Amino acid sequence: MPHDPAVKIIKKQSWGDYHLFRFETPALAAGAEPGQFLMVRVSDTPFPLLRRPISLHAKEKNSLEIFFQVAGQGTALLAQKKEGETLDILGPFGKRFIPDTNALPTPAVLVGGGRGIAPLYFLAMELNKLGARVKVLYGGKSRTDLPVREKFEKAGLDIVCSTDDGSFGHHGFVTGLLESEIRRQEPAILYVCGPDPMMKKTAEIAAARRIPARISLESMMGCGFGACWGCVKRIRRDEGGEWRKICEDGPVFWADKIIWEEKE
Amino acid sequence: MPHDPAVKIIKKQSWGDYHLFRFETPALAAGAEPGQFLMVRVSDTPFPLLRRPISLHAKEKNSLEIFFQVAGQGTALLAQKKEGETLDILGPFGKRFIPDTNALPTPAVLVGGGRGIAPLYFLAMELNKLGARVKVLYGGKSRTDLPVREKFEKAGLDIVCSTDDGSFGHHGFVTGLLESEIRRQEPAILYVCGPDPMMKKTAEIAAARRIPARISLESMMGCGFGACWGCVKRIRRDEGGEWRKICEDGPVFWADKIIWEEKE
Amino acid sequence: MTPDLTADLGFLKLRNPVLTASGTFGYGLEFEPFMDLSKIGGIVVKGLYYGPREGNPPPRLVETTGGLINAIGLQGVGVEKFAAEVLPKLRQIDTAVFVNVCGASDDEYLKAIEFLNAQEGIAAYELNISCPNVKKNGLCPALGPDPTYALVKQAKAASRRPVIAKLSPNVTDIVEIAKAAEEAGADGLSLINTLLAMAVDIETRRPKLANIFGGLSGPAIKPIALRMTYQVASAVRVPVIGMGGIMTGADAIEYLIVGARAVQVGTANFIDPAAAARIAGEMKDFCEHKGIARIADLVGTLKTD
Amino acid sequence: MTPDLTADLGFLKLRNPVLTASGTFGYGLEFEPFMDLSKIGGIVVKGLYYGPREGNPPPRLVETTGGLINAIGLQGVGVEKFAAEVLPKLRQIDTAVFVNVCGASDDEYLKAIEFLNAQEGIAAYELNISCPNVKKNGLCPALGPDPTYALVKQAKAASRRPVIAKLSPNVTDIVEIAKAAEEAGADGLSLINTLLAMAVDIETRRPKLANIFGGLSGPAIKPIALRMTYQVASAVRVPVIGMGGIMTGADAIEYLIVGARAVQVGTANFIDPAAAARIAGEMKDFCEHKGIARIADLVGTLKTD
Ligand SMILES: Cc1cc2nc3c(=O)[nH]c(=O)nc-3n(C[C@H](O)[C@H](O)[C@H](O)COP(=O)(O)OP(=O)(O)OC[C@H]3O[C@@H](n4cnc5c(N)ncnc54)[C@H](O)[C@@H]3O)c2cc1C
Ligand SMILES: Cc1cc2nc3c(=O)[nH]c(=O)nc-3n(C[C@H](O)[C@H](O)[C@H](O)COP(=O)(O)OP(=O)(O)OC[C@H]3O[C@@H](n4cnc5c(N)ncnc54)[C@H](O)[C@@H]3O)c2cc1C
Ligand SMILES: Cc1cc2nc3c(=O)[nH]c(=O)nc-3n(C[C@H](O)[C@H](O)[C@H](O)COP(=O)(O)O)c2cc1C
Ligand SMILES: Cc1cc2nc3c(=O)[nH]c(=O)nc-3n(C[C@H](O)[C@H](O)[C@H](O)COP(=O)(O)O)c2cc1C
Ligand code: FES
Ligand code: FES
């Protein structure tokens, strides 16, 4: 039963709006895989009503990490939790980032924007273990928006950053970094997580170059485990598309299967 | 403006379900009087929606104390607050316990049951200062239900206790203590706060002996300052009774003005 | 540039779109220690019958998740005492005063209006045809288009002032009732009053309210109230005043976007007695932030394409 | 002494009074990892049309204070695929299965019923005449006594199984609709479906749901749902199944006290996927604690004198 009502926070790190928790939770860590997410109860009162989906950021034998950014009242309450406190968590849920073992010798490029970097650390560590050559592209608004950069570096991972304001690394969007990376050497595969416009742009780049890309989508989730049908997005089938559940059929999809919403 | 959105808890003491907070709050302490109460916001989320009324337990120049018992979800959240944290508080509100200066030489007897002892400490200290002879009767379920007994003793106040189970002091209800006290020496005045049946019984005793008694009533409060008309109880007028607001016209009333509800 | 916050009700221009809801702001004076009453658009006083009223026995309140059920039953002083003791003080305050008029029968509404017509310092009447706490099972004129039409028509004929009809959410088709009130000549519509509700004490097996039923208010009902405000504002020409669960400036702006020209703040006053002024301030900040010159430009701008 | 928890719906005895509400429990199997499905009274599966259905575009959910607005729009596999792929698995589970039947027209309801009649392993049909997310403005048969009567009558004639009519709260007089369904032969009534609601994003000035309107569920609506359950249970003879915002055993017991013979747990399943079993356990504990030998003895015991 993937439910641990008292997951202990054994380590907390904070950088402004960003927070990292390490949990001691053998029950949930067993079998947890990169790309999956947890459904976290952020309070023991009826406010907020629903759990919040948060990706797995890292895993060790009996422990898991999450890395999140305050986006509203739920994540603000979560950020108030302290080391030693416990959380009620369900999961892990969802389909993992499948490591493309065929492509192993040529580099796998991981593209993360803002909090979207969260699941890519876990994936990078796994790909690394599998012997894949990994390059991480990490974009933020400014220098202070890249809190886990050093963590990748310490783990010996090849990481390049961009900031919208140019205060650190490449000046511009992370998709710009991706374009120059592709010019340098075409990646075998892309793994992507970030804000919608960034993911959409990455999907376009991947499509133009015919680079396979796996994208982790976000969506408003009622349950996280397939019961409410609230989290759907349009996913391509043989012909046409259909509403598929992000929590169960995703959150990771092949980029060319995603039908992006047209919004003003 | 009797509103302090950031009242700091400078001291916290806990005994099981009972908790005492001392606040640093010159704004609210100025003019605060025994019998009055505060409206405390126990969380910064919409749950619970309403503030909770809590009596003033003690006052020093710039600080106030409250003493409360966990009764439900609101007081449970309040009890989780720690020293150094702040609370959003309105008040003080309500009519004070008026010290009956005519009766000063003969003893004023203060009768408190359970959490009802809260406002009586503040009152006892004031009466004491005014030179009145004060006797406090304090009833609880059992020995552990009398957490502030020592506090009264340390302040040099004359206090006698009762417990329902006989584990400390007089075995029985505090109204039994009151009856023996009256047999010993008839008090000039009673000041009473506790559960409804205890207050009703005290009112009956006071009426039978024609001892003036001031009783502090409780009621479900929407606002605490006279705006919602939710907190009414039946209070006697010249003839008949009318619904009067506990928060504004009370919480302290003359015992013989209170018309007690008939419930099964 | 300071945004223009005025709200135009047609018959009256308000300083800003924030009024206080009837029954949640006493007679207004209770809030003077907490707030400068000239900072808000106006106040709607507690419902008044012609004569004084006892109200319901307690318990009168139950808190629920995100909500408050009340069964006050319109305890109040009646219009005469109100005119003698409260109105003179309210006239000293620079804000629009709306009187929420109640009646056990059509005649009683008219008697109250006729008496109030002779008093100064009232901007308009809000006809409370929707209180669920007075008759059994929450019955009130606003449950049907016919009683609504009949009562509003008579009230308009009797009144020398603009009449706003306050609608009930406890109906199948609120647009039908809104249209009946508009046809009868209402100068504006306000909505919603509370939703008929109850709660039970499982220990005693008794209703938690002495009155059994009460009216639910607070953030819990906002999604329902906003939907109804949108439906009504899209269907009538008279100005609509929206309310239900407004706690913040953002909540109030949602109401403007769906078509309300002004809003009322109710339950929030109990938790934060300066809520109405705070909300008006937050709305101003929003406009400044977004470069909106006139807050009225937000009204009815919901994009649904 | 272990209390007797059985709930008697007349046409069926349930192990205990806790069912799961349609649309909040998938097809049941989604919850097997979390809960022993034989610990609850039964499951009501997600609403089924005769054919497969796409549902509404996202966003389909908005969280509100104490509530959830959904506009799923009944995305689903249709009865054929359900019968082929889901029912065989449900038949392995020792619990009562109710099928929530939907239709865009009366005929479609009947087609679904006729198809399902031929399948085994279904305890009863719950006729979803009250979904607010399918037609414009939340229109559905349960808004009027006549369409309710007509549809229930036909469904009864077509059905070889008991038929429960699921009522809408978006009405002026739910008792009138309940009586129409009873007269038409409904074997039971369940209530409430969700309350028509909306929310607005003030940044984009768009509705937060692609469908504009959705249905509000969760603890926010409990006081309204409980009131309606009480009104209906006091007015009909057929068994009533209550729901709306049940999160705990105490909530469920409130429903029994006002007259429901059983309850359904909805939104709570999303937060605690073992909620239904937990609630059944809490109800048992309550009975033990209070020395109540049969939980059915609580039904309709509200004291209002
Ligand atoms: C599969 C998945 C994995 C995620 N992993 C992470 C992670 O590792 N780190 C991290 O910081 N965030 C992650 N998120 C996003 C995170 O769930 C939201 O930021 C959070 O739910 C917002 O809750 P809130 O109460 O703080 O904000 P709210 O006040 O509820 O909303 C604030 C804003 O966030 C949007 N939002 C609300 N819920 C969601 C949601 N479920 N998904 C996306 N946007 C939402 C709202 O539309 C609104 O614009 C993930 C989301 C999904 C679906
Ligand atoms: C003027 C006044 C002064 C008070 N002073 C103190 C004090 O000094 N120390 C202290 O421990 N308690 C005091 N109380 C009682 C305290 O307000 C309640 O215990 C508290 O509001 C319960 O909130 P809750 O959320 O914990 O419980 P809930 O879950 O809301 O309710 C638990 C139980 O408490 C009852 N209750 C709820 N609200 C009130 C209320 N406003 N008054 C009485 N009963 C209520 C409910 O009916 C229920 O039976 C005072 C009450 C009043 C009216
Ligand atoms: C305690 C209380 C008393 C009320 N009294 C009245 C009243 O006298 N007249 C009236 O029209 N509405 C009355 N209402 C309804 C409010 O004016 C308002 O319509 C409702 O509370 C919804 O707004 P809210 O959610 O902001 O509180 C009352 C509401 C509450 C909570
Ligand atoms: C996401 C979601 C989907 C729903 N789908 C259905 C449905 O298919 N058929 C139906 O009759 N009711 C449906 N409902 C309504 C519930 O069955 C129930 O009536 C309502 O949610 C109130 O109960 P609750 O407050 O416990 O959730 C749905 C509710 C939710 C939240
Ligand atoms: S979040 Fe409920 S089905 Fe995906
Ligand atoms: S608590 Fe609101 S009037 Fe007394």
PDB file of all heavy atoms in Angstrom, chain A residues 37 52-55 67-69 71-75 115 118 218-221 251, ligand 1:
ATOM      1  N   PHE A  37       6.021  10.735  -9.096  1.00  0.00           N
ATOM      2  CA  PHE A  37       5.752  11.835  -8.167  1.00  0.00           C
ATOM      3  C   PHE A  37       5.005  11.321  -6.938  1.00  0.00           C
ATOM      4  O   PHE A  37       4.485  10.195  -6.936  1.00  0.00           O
ATOM      5  CB  PHE A  37       4.937  12.936  -8.869  1.00  0.00           C
ATOM      6  CG  PHE A  37       3.596  12.472  -9.360  1.00  0.00           C
ATOM      7  CD1 PHE A  37       2.451  12.632  -8.584  1.00  0.00           C
ATOM      8  CD2 PHE A  37       3.466  11.851 -10.601  1.00  0.00           C
ATOM      9  CE1 PHE A  37       1.219  12.185  -9.032  1.00  0.00           C
ATOM     10  CE2 PHE A  37       2.223  11.404 -11.050  1.00  0.00           C
ATOM     11  CZ  PHE A  37       1.105  11.570 -10.270  1.00  0.00           C
ATOM     12  N   ARG A  52      -0.933  17.710  -2.861  1.00  0.00           N
ATOM     13  CA  ARG A  52      -0.182  18.378  -3.912  1.00  0.00           C
ATOM     14  C   ARG A  52       0.795  17.401  -4.549  1.00  0.00           C
ATOM     15  O   ARG A  52       1.489  16.674  -3.819  1.00  0.00           O
ATOM     16  CB  ARG A  52       0.585  19.571  -3.335  1.00  0.00           C
ATOM     17  CG  ARG A  52      -0.312  20.708  -2.827  1.00  0.00           C
ATOM     18  CD  ARG A  52      -1.052  21.368  -3.982  1.00  0.00           C
ATOM     19  NE  ARG A  52      -1.856  22.525  -3.617  1.00  0.00           N
ATOM     20  CZ  ARG A  52      -3.137  22.492  -3.274  1.00  0.00           C
ATOM     21  NH1 ARG A  52      -3.780  21.342  -3.219  1.00  0.00           N
ATOM     22  NH2 ARG A  52      -3.791  23.601  -3.002  1.00  0.00           N
ATOM     23  N   PRO A  53       0.846  17.379  -5.893  1.00  0.00           N
ATOM     24  CA  PRO A  53       1.812  16.504  -6.569  1.00  0.00           C
ATOM     25  C   PRO A  53       3.208  17.108  -6.577  1.00  0.00           C
ATOM     26  O   PRO A  53       3.367  18.265  -6.938  1.00  0.00           O
ATOM     27  CB  PRO A  53       1.266  16.411  -8.011  1.00  0.00           C
ATOM     28  CG  PRO A  53       0.448  17.649  -8.207  1.00  0.00           C
ATOM     29  CD  PRO A  53       0.009  18.131  -6.843  1.00  0.00           C
ATOM     30  N   ILE A  54       4.192  16.347  -6.153  1.00  0.00           N
ATOM     31  CA  ILE A  54       5.584  16.796  -6.158  1.00  0.00           C
ATOM     32  C   ILE A  54       6.455  15.630  -6.657  1.00  0.00           C
ATOM     33  O   ILE A  54       6.327  14.503  -6.174  1.00  0.00           O
ATOM     34  CB  ILE A  54       6.052  17.212  -4.741  1.00  0.00           C
ATOM     35  CG1 ILE A  54       5.143  18.295  -4.137  1.00  0.00           C
ATOM     36  CG2 ILE A  54       7.521  17.664  -4.766  1.00  0.00           C
ATOM     37  CD1 ILE A  54       5.330  19.693  -4.689  1.00  0.00           C
ATOM     38  N   SER A  55       7.337  15.935  -7.584  1.00  0.00           N
ATOM     39  CA  SER A  55       8.180  14.905  -8.195  1.00  0.00           C
ATOM     40  C   SER A  55       9.217  14.365  -7.220  1.00  0.00           C
ATOM     41  O   SER A  55       9.623  15.037  -6.278  1.00  0.00           O
ATOM     42  CB  SER A  55       8.949  15.497  -9.378  1.00  0.00           C
ATOM     43  OG  SER A  55       8.062  15.971 -10.338  1.00  0.00           O
ATOM     44  N   PHE A  67      12.051  18.498  -4.164  1.00  0.00           N
ATOM     45  CA  PHE A  67      12.580  19.853  -4.335  1.00  0.00           C
ATOM     46  C   PHE A  67      11.435  20.658  -4.931  1.00  0.00           C
ATOM     47  O   PHE A  67      10.895  20.301  -5.973  1.00  0.00           O
ATOM     48  CB  PHE A  67      13.773  19.827  -5.291  1.00  0.00           C
ATOM     49  CG  PHE A  67      14.252  21.190  -5.700  1.00  0.00           C
ATOM     50  CD1 PHE A  67      14.914  22.012  -4.790  1.00  0.00           C
ATOM     51  CD2 PHE A  67      14.037  21.668  -6.990  1.00  0.00           C
ATOM     52  CE1 PHE A  67      15.352  23.275  -5.165  1.00  0.00           C
ATOM     53  CE2 PHE A  67      14.475  22.926  -7.370  1.00  0.00           C
ATOM     54  CZ  PHE A  67      15.134  23.731  -6.455  1.00  0.00           C
ATOM     55  N   PHE A  68      11.008  21.698  -4.207  1.00  0.00           N
ATOM     56  CA  PHE A  68       9.822  22.401  -4.710  1.00  0.00           C
ATOM     57  C   PHE A  68       9.948  23.899  -4.515  1.00  0.00           C
ATOM     58  O   PHE A  68      10.744  24.390  -3.712  1.00  0.00           O
ATOM     59  CB  PHE A  68       8.547  21.881  -4.021  1.00  0.00           C
ATOM     60  CG  PHE A  68       8.494  22.169  -2.545  1.00  0.00           C
ATOM     61  CD1 PHE A  68       7.817  23.281  -2.051  1.00  0.00           C
ATOM     62  CD2 PHE A  68       9.121  21.324  -1.643  1.00  0.00           C
ATOM     63  CE1 PHE A  68       7.771  23.549  -0.688  1.00  0.00           C
ATOM     64  CE2 PHE A  68       9.090  21.585  -0.265  1.00  0.00           C
ATOM     65  CZ  PHE A  68       8.410  22.701   0.208  1.00  0.00           C
ATOM     66  N   GLN A  69       9.091  24.587  -5.259  1.00  0.00           N
ATOM     67  CA  GLN A  69       9.051  26.040  -5.223  1.00  0.00           C
ATOM     68  C   GLN A  69       7.670  26.447  -4.711  1.00  0.00           C
ATOM     69  O   GLN A  69       6.660  25.830  -5.071  1.00  0.00           O
ATOM     70  CB  GLN A  69       9.232  26.568  -6.654  1.00  0.00           C
ATOM     71  CG  GLN A  69       9.268  28.076  -6.755  1.00  0.00           C
ATOM     72  CD  GLN A  69       9.473  28.537  -8.195  1.00  0.00           C
ATOM     73  OE1 GLN A  69       9.211  27.791  -9.137  1.00  0.00           O
ATOM     74  NE2 GLN A  69       9.925  29.765  -8.361  1.00  0.00           N
ATOM     75  N   ALA A  71       4.380  28.076  -4.856  1.00  0.00           N
ATOM     76  CA  ALA A  71       3.596  28.563  -5.999  1.00  0.00           C
ATOM     77  C   ALA A  71       2.260  29.118  -5.549  1.00  0.00           C
ATOM     78  O   ALA A  71       1.592  29.816  -6.303  1.00  0.00           O
ATOM     79  CB  ALA A  71       3.363  27.418  -6.989  1.00  0.00           C
ATOM     80  N   GLY A  72       1.867  28.826  -4.338  1.00  0.00           N
ATOM     81  CA  GLY A  72       0.564  29.242  -3.840  1.00  0.00           C
ATOM     82  C   GLY A  72       0.434  28.824  -2.391  1.00  0.00           C
ATOM     83  O   GLY A  72       1.429  28.536  -1.719  1.00  0.00           O
ATOM     84  N   GLN A  73      -0.809  28.757  -1.906  1.00  0.00           N
ATOM     85  CA  GLN A  73      -0.998  28.528  -0.476  1.00  0.00           C
ATOM     86  C   GLN A  73      -0.583  27.131  -0.024  1.00  0.00           C
ATOM     87  O   GLN A  73      -0.113  26.958   1.091  1.00  0.00           O
ATOM     88  CB  GLN A  73      -2.468  28.781  -0.107  1.00  0.00           C
ATOM     89  CG  GLN A  73      -2.814  30.268  -0.200  1.00  0.00           C
ATOM     90  CD  GLN A  73      -4.189  30.550   0.368  1.00  0.00           C
ATOM     91  OE1 GLN A  73      -5.204  30.272  -0.260  1.00  0.00           O
ATOM     92  NE2 GLN A  73      -4.233  31.086   1.573  1.00  0.00           N
ATOM     93  N   GLY A  74      -0.780  26.146  -0.889  1.00  0.00           N
ATOM     94  CA  GLY A  74      -0.434  24.782  -0.501  1.00  0.00           C
ATOM     95  C   GLY A  74       1.066  24.608  -0.330  1.00  0.00           C
ATOM     96  O   GLY A  74       1.532  24.113   0.698  1.00  0.00           O
ATOM     97  N   THR A  75       1.812  25.021  -1.335  1.00  0.00           N
ATOM     98  CA  THR A  75       3.261  24.887  -1.237  1.00  0.00           C
ATOM     99  C   THR A  75       3.827  25.812  -0.163  1.00  0.00           C
ATOM    100  O   THR A  75       4.844  25.489   0.453  1.00  0.00           O
ATOM    101  CB  THR A  75       3.925  25.131  -2.604  1.00  0.00           C
ATOM    102  OG1 THR A  75       3.283  26.238  -3.233  1.00  0.00           O
ATOM    103  CG2 THR A  75       3.798  23.915  -3.505  1.00  0.00           C
ATOM    104  N   ARG A 115      11.456  25.113 -11.281  1.00  0.00           N
ATOM    105  CA  ARG A 115      11.214  23.939 -10.437  1.00  0.00           C
ATOM    106  C   ARG A 115      11.221  22.656 -11.261  1.00  0.00           C
ATOM    107  O   ARG A 115      11.276  21.563 -10.709  1.00  0.00           O
ATOM    108  CB  ARG A 115       9.873  24.096  -9.704  1.00  0.00           C
ATOM    109  CG  ARG A 115       8.664  24.006 -10.642  1.00  0.00           C
ATOM    110  CD  ARG A 115       7.387  24.365  -9.926  1.00  0.00           C
ATOM    111  NE  ARG A 115       6.235  24.082 -10.773  1.00  0.00           N
ATOM    112  CZ  ARG A 115       5.076  24.705 -10.685  1.00  0.00           C
ATOM    113  NH1 ARG A 115       4.901  25.644  -9.785  1.00  0.00           N
ATOM    114  NH2 ARG A 115       4.075  24.380 -11.485  1.00  0.00           N
ATOM    115  N   ALA A 118      13.480  19.590 -10.824  1.00  0.00           N
ATOM    116  CA  ALA A 118      13.317  18.632  -9.719  1.00  0.00           C
ATOM    117  C   ALA A 118      13.507  17.171 -10.139  1.00  0.00           C
ATOM    118  O   ALA A 118      14.385  16.484  -9.608  1.00  0.00           O
ATOM    119  CB  ALA A 118      11.977  18.850  -9.016  1.00  0.00           C
ATOM    120  N   GLU A 218       2.778  18.861 -16.412  1.00  0.00           N
ATOM    121  CA  GLU A 218       2.075  19.173 -15.161  1.00  0.00           C
ATOM    122  C   GLU A 218       0.598  19.341 -15.455  1.00  0.00           C
ATOM    123  O   GLU A 218       0.208  19.600 -16.591  1.00  0.00           O
ATOM    124  CB  GLU A 218       2.613  20.462 -14.544  1.00  0.00           C
ATOM    125  CG  GLU A 218       3.937  20.262 -13.834  1.00  0.00           C
ATOM    126  CD  GLU A 218       4.281  21.444 -12.944  1.00  0.00           C
ATOM    127  OE1 GLU A 218       3.446  22.356 -12.780  1.00  0.00           O
ATOM    128  OE2 GLU A 218       5.400  21.444 -12.395  1.00  0.00           O
ATOM    129  N   SER A 219      -0.205  19.230 -14.410  1.00  0.00           N
ATOM    130  CA  SER A 219      -1.636  19.374 -14.578  1.00  0.00           C
ATOM    131  C   SER A 219      -2.251  19.471 -13.186  1.00  0.00           C
ATOM    132  O   SER A 219      -1.665  19.007 -12.214  1.00  0.00           O
ATOM    133  CB  SER A 219      -2.163  18.149 -15.316  1.00  0.00           C
ATOM    134  OG  SER A 219      -3.547  18.066 -15.209  1.00  0.00           O
ATOM    135  N   MET A 220      -3.400  20.095 -13.086  1.00  0.00           N
ATOM    136  CA  MET A 220      -4.117  20.147 -11.819  1.00  0.00           C
ATOM    137  C   MET A 220      -4.584  18.734 -11.486  1.00  0.00           C
ATOM    138  O   MET A 220      -5.252  18.105 -12.297  1.00  0.00           O
ATOM    139  CB  MET A 220      -5.302  21.109 -11.995  1.00  0.00           C
ATOM    140  CG  MET A 220      -6.277  21.155 -10.863  1.00  0.00           C
ATOM    141  SD  MET A 220      -5.573  21.961  -9.392  1.00  0.00           S
ATOM    142  CE  MET A 220      -6.700  21.313  -8.155  1.00  0.00           C
ATOM    143  N   MET A 221      -4.209  18.223 -10.323  1.00  0.00           N
ATOM    144  CA  MET A 221      -4.531  16.837  -9.985  1.00  0.00           C
ATOM    145  C   MET A 221      -5.483  16.731  -8.803  1.00  0.00           C
ATOM    146  O   MET A 221      -5.204  17.270  -7.735  1.00  0.00           O
ATOM    147  CB  MET A 221      -3.251  16.074  -9.667  1.00  0.00           C
ATOM    148  CG  MET A 221      -2.410  15.856 -10.901  1.00  0.00           C
ATOM    149  SD  MET A 221      -1.082  14.708 -10.599  1.00  0.00           S
ATOM    150  CE  MET A 221      -0.459  14.561 -12.293  1.00  0.00           C
ATOM    151  N   PRO A 251       3.313  11.168 -15.740  1.00  0.00           N
ATOM    152  CA  PRO A 251       3.403  12.501 -16.352  1.00  0.00           C
ATOM    153  C   PRO A 251       4.350  12.568 -17.542  1.00  0.00           C
ATOM    154  O   PRO A 251       4.331  13.544 -18.253  1.00  0.00           O
ATOM    155  CB  PRO A 251       3.925  13.383 -15.205  1.00  0.00           C
ATOM    156  CG  PRO A 251       4.679  12.458 -14.314  1.00  0.00           C
ATOM    157  CD  PRO A 251       3.990  11.130 -14.423  1.00  0.00           C
TER     158      PRO A 251
HETATM  159  C1  LIG E   1       3.317  15.476 -11.716  1.00  0.00           C
HETATM  160  C2  LIG E   1       3.665  16.787 -11.080  1.00  0.00           C
HETATM  161  C3  LIG E   1       4.873  16.920 -10.452  1.00  0.00           C
HETATM  162  C4  LIG E   1       5.234  18.139  -9.877  1.00  0.00           C
HETATM  163  N1  LIG E   1       6.450  18.237  -9.283  1.00  0.00           N
HETATM  164  C5  LIG E   1       6.815  19.407  -8.708  1.00  0.00           C
HETATM  165  C6  LIG E   1       8.075  19.533  -8.082  1.00  0.00           C
HETATM  166  O1  LIG E   1       8.841  18.586  -8.007  1.00  0.00           O
HETATM  167  N2  LIG E   1       8.402  20.729  -7.537  1.00  0.00           N
HETATM  168  C7  LIG E   1       7.551  21.781  -7.577  1.00  0.00           C
HETATM  169  O2  LIG E   1       7.899  22.845  -7.074  1.00  0.00           O
HETATM  170  N3  LIG E   1       6.342  21.687  -8.145  1.00  0.00           N
HETATM  171  C8  LIG E   1       5.942  20.524  -8.721  1.00  0.00           C
HETATM  172  N4  LIG E   1       4.700  20.437  -9.308  1.00  0.00           N
HETATM  173  C9  LIG E   1       3.812  21.596  -9.273  1.00  0.00           C
HETATM  174  C10 LIG E   1       3.114  21.667  -7.924  1.00  0.00           C
HETATM  175  O3  LIG E   1       2.272  20.535  -7.785  1.00  0.00           O
HETATM  176  C11 LIG E   1       2.271  22.944  -7.814  1.00  0.00           C
HETATM  177  O4  LIG E   1       3.118  24.052  -7.792  1.00  0.00           O
HETATM  178  C12 LIG E   1       1.429  22.953  -6.560  1.00  0.00           C
HETATM  179  O5  LIG E   1       0.440  21.949  -6.648  1.00  0.00           O
HETATM  180  C13 LIG E   1       0.771  24.294  -6.364  1.00  0.00           C
HETATM  181  O6  LIG E   1       0.004  24.240  -5.167  1.00  0.00           O
HETATM  182  P1  LIG E   1      -0.250  25.538  -4.306  1.00  0.00           P
HETATM  183  O7  LIG E   1      -1.313  25.231  -3.333  1.00  0.00           O
HETATM  184  O8  LIG E   1       1.007  26.071  -3.764  1.00  0.00           O
HETATM  185  O9  LIG E   1      -0.737  26.568  -5.386  1.00  0.00           O
HETATM  186  P2  LIG E   1      -2.224  26.947  -5.746  1.00  0.00           P
HETATM  187  O10 LIG E   1      -2.579  28.121  -4.911  1.00  0.00           O
HETATM  188  O11 LIG E   1      -3.101  25.764  -5.742  1.00  0.00           O
HETATM  189  O12 LIG E   1      -1.977  27.381  -7.236  1.00  0.00           O
HETATM  190  C14 LIG E   1      -0.918  28.258  -7.583  1.00  0.00           C
HETATM  191  C15 LIG E   1      -0.681  28.102  -9.047  1.00  0.00           C
HETATM  192  O13 LIG E   1      -0.238  26.770  -9.333  1.00  0.00           O
HETATM  193  C16 LIG E   1      -1.122  26.139 -10.257  1.00  0.00           C
HETATM  194  N5  LIG E   1      -1.303  24.739  -9.843  1.00  0.00           N
HETATM  195  C17 LIG E   1      -2.073  24.292  -8.834  1.00  0.00           C
HETATM  196  N6  LIG E   1      -2.029  22.977  -8.761  1.00  0.00           N
HETATM  197  C18 LIG E   1      -1.202  22.562  -9.742  1.00  0.00           C
HETATM  198  C19 LIG E   1      -0.757  21.310 -10.186  1.00  0.00           C
HETATM  199  N7  LIG E   1      -1.176  20.172  -9.629  1.00  0.00           N
HETATM  200  N8  LIG E   1       0.103  21.279 -11.194  1.00  0.00           N
HETATM  201  C20 LIG E   1       0.515  22.403 -11.770  1.00  0.00           C
HETATM  202  N9  LIG E   1       0.124  23.612 -11.415  1.00  0.00           N
HETATM  203  C21 LIG E   1      -0.723  23.688 -10.420  1.00  0.00           C
HETATM  204  C22 LIG E   1      -2.398  26.908 -10.155  1.00  0.00           C
HETATM  205  O14 LIG E   1      -3.149  26.851 -11.358  1.00  0.00           O
HETATM  206  C23 LIG E   1      -1.939  28.301  -9.849  1.00  0.00           C
HETATM  207  O15 LIG E   1      -1.587  28.991 -11.012  1.00  0.00           O
HETATM  208  C24 LIG E   1       4.339  19.233  -9.914  1.00  0.00           C
HETATM  209  C25 LIG E   1       3.089  19.077 -10.516  1.00  0.00           C
HETATM  210  C26 LIG E   1       2.751  17.884 -11.109  1.00  0.00           C
HETATM  211  C27 LIG E   1       1.430  17.732 -11.745  1.00  0.00           C
END
